[in-house]
Structures are given as structure tokens and as C-alpha cells.
Amino acid sequence: MTVQAVEPKPIPSRVRPYEKTQKNTPWYMKAIVGRDLAPTPEEYDKLVAALWQGDGPMDALVDWMFEFGPKEAKGLIEQAVEKGVGTIEDCPQPLLDFFQTLENPPAWIDQELVEEGVRFIHGIGITAEYVLRDLALMGGYLLSGFNQSLVLTGALNKGAAKRIAETGKWWMDCTEPYGMTRYGVGFKSTIHVRMIHSLVRRNLASKPQWDSSKWGLPLSQIDMVATYLGFSVVLLGGLRKLGVPVTPRESKAVMHLWAYACWIMGVDEKWLVQTEREGMVLLNHTYMTQSKPDKTSRDLAQALADEPLEREFKHFESLRRQINYHQHLSISHYFLGEEKLEQLGLPKSSSWYAWLSTPPRFAAYTAKRVLPFTRKKLQKEGRKQQKEMLAAMFGQSEQAVLAPDENHPAHI
């Protein structure tokens, strides 16, 4: 029997050549992370290979879905998510196999540490949105390799406010107390989003507009890894820069929370890290796979910058929209700088709001976290702020994680 060699996939043109990834790591950064930031040849090869890898288990389940009958299969999957595969009479084997893995999580998952991460997230209140929106998301648009799937799924047509609100709803679900337990709201929302990602991957990969020689596979493992590190590593670094002190234990809890959430989302275990140091290195490696800013960067950034002008408020709506607009633009300037804002096609700004708000935020947060009763009050107030922000984004619409309409590639 002759075994045929598997042809290696080509390197998508969005990836930097290996020699251009080998920049010297500043001494202070090497001291922080304990190694060079540049990838080794083996690490580089794994990054490139992962641009051609999707979510194997969910992609296989979606393939079965179309063989079985999309609408009926989708109904069975939704029943399994909500009530468990044990409630499905004569449950199809592919469905049993998929959920057997999810219902037997790895031994490294520490539910109490997950809940510590949730409580920390509550305590940081609206500052979480500033970092995730104005640094992680806005800065992510500079890396145009991420942007293609967003544009081709109609992210610009549906409106930034709705898109950001839907992502925010998933994030809120994941950070509910015990939301990531098997029947928790975050667990179920994450499986829902995971299936949508797989449907989008299947749809876009077959479209002539998708240039795989340039971008690799839609919503690849590396794109998911970089997104997951935005919720953990970028969040923690941004919080510190906005005056929120983070203890080593809190850092560990946040990293663990999102490692678990993204295991449920379909990120391969080999990419999940438990420390900020590991996360910083891996995040830097993912940057090597990204393209420079292009038109999609500017289009998406402009839509995101204008999003506060669509929010709904009970009182002084016009004034509060303008204030929110300039606050968020100021924070993006603080994190990204004038040059990057210019690359994103955004108007000139200054870091006025970040500089004004950071010292009092540091003082207030430090004071309130000292005693147990003040810490609980901080968490309660912070969660209230987060819910109010989400309500302003959704307005009169029902709060829901993405529900693809007939024009969306994940629609069934």
C-alpha cells in the first residue's frame, strides 16, 4: 500500500515572511515575558498551518447538519444545547459525539477560578467597554486580515451599533455568575456563536470573493486565537493603563475564564494559555499573520467610531451621544496614538478624557476593593454600568446574541 504525501498548504500572502518576524525584542519586554517575542521556526510553521484550520468538531457537525437536513438538524442541535442530548430520542451519533466532549471538560478547568474572573469583570464596570471597544476592537481593525470575513458577512450594512451590541450580549452572557456552567447562559450563547462561525466559514470559503491565497481559511484558528487574547491579555493591559490595578491572582482568573470560554468556542487546546506572559508572546505571534491597514480598516473603524451616535438614552439623548462619541475617540487616541488613528481614517483627537478619568478611577477602584463589603458594592455598581451600556446599544431592540437574517451567510 502506497501512502500519498499530503501537500503542505501555501503561506497566505497576508503573513509576514519569517525573516521579517525576527526583530529584536526590547530588553524590558524580554524581562517581562522571559523570552524573545519573535517566533521560532517551529512556532512560525504552526501559525501558518493554523490559518488553514477551522473548528474541526463543529465544522464536522455542520457538514452532518446539511446531510441530515439543515432545519431539522438545527432544531436538534438547539434542543441539545438547551436540554442536553439525553432529551433527544434516537439522538444521531454526530450530535452525541460533539456534546460528549463538551459535557466532559478538561481536568485543567477550575470553576471557582472562572467565577473569580467573572467577579473581577463585574468590578471593572464600564472600563471594560473602553478597553475592549476602543483598544482591542478599534486596534484590531488595523490588522486587515481579520476584517475580510466581517465585511463579507455584511458587518457594514447591518450597522455597527447592532453588531457591537450582539457581541456585547455574548460577552455579558459569558460573565454572568455561573454563566459558563453546562446549562448557563454563557455556555449556551457560546455554542450558538460557535455554530454561526462554522456556517460563515463554510459559506465564505465557497465564495469567489474569498481569496484563500491571501487570507487562508475564513475564521481560522489563528483569527479565533487573536480574538480570544483580546478579551484577556489586551483587556488586562488596557485596564492597567486606564488606572485599574490588577493583582496576579486577578490576572490568572481572567486568563482562565477566557481560556475556558474559548475552549467552548472551539479554539484548540494547544493555543489556550493560562498566564499573561504566555498570552503576550502568543498575541505578538498572531500579529505576524496579519495584513497592513487597508480600506476595510478605515470603513470598519469609521462605523465603530460613529456607533455612539446611534445609542438610545432616556434623557438628554443628543448631548449624551456627542459626549460618548468624543470620550471613545479620546480613549482610542490614548491607546493607539495619532498615527494609527490617521491610518484608520479617524478625525484628529486628543487623550483628554483618558487623562482626566484615569487618576480618579485609580483612586476610587483602589479604595473600594480594600474591604469585602466595598468590593461587593464595586462589583454590583460595575455590573449595573455594563448592563446600562448594553441597553443603550440595543435601544428598543430585543437583547440577543446574533440571529442571522436571510441575507447573512449563516442563515438557515
Side-chain angles (χ1 to χ4, degrees), residues 55-351:
D55 173 1
M58 179 57 86
D59 291 346
L61 189 65
V62 166
D63 288 343
W64 164 79
M65 178 193 298
F66 280 90
E67 294 170 4
F68 187 86
K71 291 191 176 181
E72 185 180 355
K74 183 172 180 284
L76 292 176
I77 293 172
E78 289 172 349
Q79 182 178 340
V81 170
E82 292 292 331
K83 300 177 181 179
V85 289
T87 66
I88 300 174
E89 188 176 352
D90 298 324
C91 184
Q93 193 63 43
L95 205 50
L96 284 170
D97 293 343
F98 180 81
F99 279 92
Q100 183 178 23
T101 300
L102 285 173
E103 292 174 358
N104 293 277
W108 57 262
I109 294 172
D110 180 342
Q111 190 61 51
E112 183 48 44
L113 191 57
V114 168
E115 293 308 309
E116 285 187 45
V118 167
R119 291 191 292 271
F120 175 79
I121 294 292
H122 287 196
I124 60 179
I126 201 66
T127 313
E129 191 226 358
Y130 290 148
V131 178
L132 293 175
R133 184 193 182 283
D134 304 327
L135 170 59
L137 186 56
M138 188 67 84
Y141 290 153
L142 289 161
L143 309 172
S144 61
F146 286 132
N147 300 342
Q148 312 309 318
S149 56
L150 280 172
V151 172
L152 290 176
T153 52
L156 289 169
N157 298 333
K158 71 184 294 187
K162 184 179 179 183
R163 178 168 52 86
I164 302 306
E166 289 169 343
T167 302
K169 178 64 168 68
W170 169 75
W171 184 84
M172 290 287 286
D173 287 350
C174 289
T175 54
E176 278 293 296
Y178 297 97
M180 300 310 294
T181 55
R182 169 58 184 92
Y183 294 100
V185 64
F187 187 104
K188 293 188 286 189
S189 289
T190 301
I191 299 301
H192 174 75
V193 174
R194 183 177 178 180
M195 183 168 69
I196 288 172
H197 283 176
S198 186
L199 289 165
V200 167
R201 191 180 300 114
R202 178 189 176 98
N203 185 295
L204 293 188
S206 66
K207 287 187 176 295
Q209 301 99 309
W210 185 263
D211 186 352
S212 59
S213 67
K214 182 175 182 179
W215 301 318
L217 191 69
L219 301 177
S220 69
Q221 277 288 313
I222 286 303
D223 292 337
M224 290 194 289
V225 167
T227 302
Y228 132 66
L229 292 172
F231 287 109
S232 52
V233 174
V234 176
L235 173 65
L236 291 166
L239 287 173
R240 292 189 186 95
K241 195 170 180 181
L242 284 177
V244 177
V246 183
T247 68
R249 178 69 182 186
E250 289 165 342
S251 169
K252 182 179 180 180
V254 170
M255 293 299 298
H256 194 73
L257 163 63
W258 292 110
Y260 176 39
C262 290
W263 174 78
I264 298 170
M265 184 66 83
V267 177
D268 194 289
E269 274 193 72
K270 69 184 177 185
W271 298 112
L272 301 176
V273 294
Q274 297 292 330
T275 70
E276 271 191 88
R277 286 187 174 191
E278 295 173 297
M280 287 178 189
V281 173
L282 182 54
L283 183 63
N284 190 74
H285 289 179
T286 67
Y287 291 158
M288 309 301 176
T289 68
Q290 294 301 325
S291 311
K292 293 180 180 180
D294 62 9
K295 185 178 183 299
T296 65
S297 304
R298 294 184 289 276
D299 290 345
L300 289 165
Q302 186 63 63
L304 179 60
D306 290 344
E307 174 270 322
L309 302 175
E310 302 175 44
R311 294 182 184 177
E312 296 186 17
F313 299 97
K314 291 182 180 179
H315 307 290
F316 307 108
E317 184 172 80
S318 180
L319 176 62
R320 293 180 69 181
R321 283 176 171 178
Q322 287 294 327
I323 291 172
N324 271 239
Y325 170 80
H326 289 289
Q327 284 176 335
H328 286 296
L329 195 60
S330 168
I331 293 171
S332 286
H333 181 276
Y334 177 67
F335 282 126
L336 302 174
E338 196 70 50
E339 182 181 351
K340 286 186 171 57
L341 287 194
E342 188 175 339
Q343 290 175 345
L344 290 169
L346 298 180
K348 288 187 176 182
S349 182
S350 71
S351 303

